Amino acid sequence: MSDFEKLGAFYIGREYDPKADALSPEPLMYDSRDLTTHAVCVGMTGSGKTGLCISLLEEAALDGIPALVVDPKGDIANLMLTFPGLTPAEFRPWIDVGEAARKGVSPDDLAAKTAETWQKGLAEWGEDGERIQRFRESVDIAIYTPGSTAGLPLSILRSFAPPATGSALAGSDPAGTRDRISAAVSGLLGLVGITADPLKSREHILLSAIIDAAWSKGNALDLAGLIGAIQKPPFEKVGVFDVETFYPAKDRLELAMAIHNLLASPGFGVWLEGEALDIQRLLFTAEGKPRISIVSIAHLTDAERMFVVTLLLNELVAWMRRQSGTAALRALFYMDEICGYFPPTAMPSSKLPMLTLMKQARAFGLGVVLATQNPVDLDYKGLSNAGTWFIGRLQTERDQQRVIDGLSSALAGADFDRAMLEKLMAGISPRVFLMRKVSEDQPLLFRTRWALSYLRGPLTLPEITRLMEGRKSAAPAVPVATQATAPAARPVLPAGVQEVFLAAKPGAGELVYRPRLVATAELHYADKPAGVDAWTKVALLAPLGDSDGAPAWSEATAVPNLDSIVAAGPVDGAGFADLPAAALNAKNHADWGRSLATHLYQSGAVELLSCRTPKLTSNPGESEGDFRTRLAHALREYRDEQVAKLRERHAAKLRSLDDRLRGAQNRVAREQSQYSQRKLDTVINIGTSVLGAIFGGRSMATTRAGSAARSAGRVFGERGDVARAGESLETLTAERDGLLRQIEQEAGELTESLDPARIVRTRVSIAPRKSDIGIGRIAIAWEPWRTAADGFPRSASTL
């Protein structure tokens, strides 16, 4: 399968003939580019739906394509149960002791039996432990459990940050920003038990206005900031009504308390821990290796599930719009059960971003695969953009008719044969699926291949903990001050001096803001031979000097997304450390801006990676891992183009040879039939001539002997025709085999030339153009510090 894997074809099974109950000897290969038009998989429990979808994810990983997975039941976590040795010892830790007891065998015996079953199953489908090992080496797999520490925790705070600067949503797409705000607010209100209509609910309208006001200024909002803004909105009117008329303070306090109770609940702290909800890092490691990130939500309540799915989809839409357009498959989003998240009539908070993905993701190379075992509660019109339908065994005839009705609606205008679908669906057995692709005229039945992963069934939280035990990194060390400082009141800044407040993490202890200086700048990197002409924005956070108060730019920290860590204001009741007098002089800020420009010119050179083939150079500020990700996708696009040319170059000749082979096979069969008939005639004539000699006299014997001789001559002639037809068939078969070997050789050469490890990469150093350095905002940045139980303050910033 190696050539197919490298050429972007997914091995998903073999075609199935229900009449003969037989499988085709040839593997069924699914073009990865077909997934850019999305896929829907429908099948009852036990139909093999999970096995098929896990196989798709495995094939994508083998091709270097990452996936973001929402797992409502715990089944997809089985992707981490891969055992290249296929030994009983590998399976034993995951054997269900209760199942062994029910079968009357020991767990060790059941492990041995399971290992044997997996060995035979893989072998029957042309797979082995080596392919499992390649799968494990191709991708990094992680299980995230928001709201729990069983897997990797996932922080939801970043979801209330404004779109990243430079993204499609940052000012240039107000409709997209409104959709993102609306979905986030709906999810949050659902979490506190409020079902809100975005057009009629005053809770929804107020929260949307608050977040929009913060985002329009480039500020982030955490839940604590949102609670404060509910009590004291940053505006006086909502529409034409003043705030008090639209939503009185007493009622706003109730809403604030509802969200506060959520924030203050004992179990909510874990929602604020863990990795940020960063789609790029969920899809690729920092080194650029593809990932399968499984977001397990089986342990959550319905409201919490909806909240997580909504925020995840919002972030995915925002990430998608930051990508360049492409026809190649860049990444996959898979949801194992969409019942309740994509209903036909209702509009839950998850549906709007899911509709956006179905309509727009294709242009960015993002494939969406949705699965369900409930074909009734599904918006088929919303799924009309799905290019592939996988239909497995369904529970009732009503379910079959609902799917066919839905397909008829979704595929309106396409060639649709209802009677054929009904006939094919009637005999579907487990692991057999009907595949209907919009790009092809007729559907086909196929049986899914054996999964590389051990399909153990849903994993519990303790089992997920076992799997992820070695993946949880220790909490990062935080800077510690040598002594505590007495807090003072918030200083009053003169005109011309700006300030920002870094967001504070919730916690116990006295909160004190300490001053630093933040500055933004725009740099222009240009190098024609390297093909670089890029502008980039940077934000630096520098400490203020103890003596003169001047910022130490050489000790400054780069802040990747400043807007995401800036709060609307200070936390009520917090204290403030002393601010150097020099920082209160606006003229000094201008001088510090000029010194920053000099510092950036002298030390702002960037080292970029550059490739000759394909001609590609990393961008300033782009990590090597992200560049490797972009390079891999560029190679995949080039590969798809070359594969199309390879197919086009040989397709006509291969079709001609196939037609001639079929003709030769027909001639051999025809000549063989004629030879057999002549041979039978000859035997009869010879027998008749012998009888004639005995009973008919000399004349009759002579006549019949002549007839027998002529028949024998024709037999020899027919035998020659059979031999010549056979020689022609052998010649054509050899010619076709030679062409296939030539195609295989060309495919092998293509895959070797596209190996990222063989791509020559050089490093070039480029300094920013001095005349183009632009200094933007310079402001006092108040960083929150919290006094711990030992009396020493520690940073409480979300930085």
Side-chain angles (χ1 to χ4, degrees), residues 277-358:
L277 196 53
D278 183 345
I279 299 299
Q280 182 68 18
R281 284 294 159 258
L282 290 176
L283 292 175
F284 299 96
T285 66
E287 296 74 29
K289 186 175 184 178
R291 303 185 73 196
I292 298 178
S293 290
I294 303 167
V295 181
S296 179
I297 59 175
H299 58 287
L300 301 177
T301 65
D302 289 344
E304 290 170 339
R305 291 184 182 194
M306 184 63 70
F307 183 52
V308 170
V309 171
T310 299
L311 295 184
L312 195 65
L313 290 171
N314 276 331
E315 289 297 320
L316 185 60
V317 169
W319 174 86
M320 172 192 76
R321 287 171 168 160
R322 292 196 295 271
Q323 309 309 306
S324 59
T326 179
L329 183 62
R330 172 181 271 121
L332 281 177
F333 170 73
Y334 170 62
M335 187 161 179
D336 191 43
E337 178 54 72
I338 60 170
C339 179
Y341 298 92
F342 204 72
T345 54
M347 183 62 78
S349 57
S350 59
K351 188 173 180 179
L352 187 60
M354 203 173 285
L355 279 170
T356 301
L357 289 175
M358 294 299 294

Side-chain angles (χ1 to χ4, degrees), residues 681-682 685-686 689 701-714:
D681 291 345
T682 299
N685 284 334
I686 291 175
S689 66
T702 302
T703 301
R704 290 181 175 173
S707 176
R710 287 192 296 274
S711 295
R714 282 193 291 270

Side-chain angles (χ1 to χ4, degrees), residues 386-408:
T388 303
W389 288 75
F390 297 109
I391 303 170
R393 190 177 185 183
L394 297 171
Q395 194 160 11
T396 65
E397 185 178 348
R398 175 174 173 267
D399 288 344
Q400 292 182 10
Q401 293 303 317
R402 182 68 184 96
V403 169
I404 293 175
D405 289 342
L407 274 174
S408 176

Side-chain angles (χ1 to χ4, degrees), residues 606-636:
V606 294
E607 193 175 63
L608 305 180
L609 287 169
S610 181
C611 297
R612 294 181 181 178
T613 305
K615 188 172 178 57
L616 199 65
T617 304
S618 61
N619 295 319
E622 183 179 31
S623 69
E624 182 172 347
D626 289 341
F627 175 65
R628 288 177 182 274
T629 298
R630 199 156 54 88
L631 173 62
H633 185 71
L635 290 172
R636 193 176 295 114

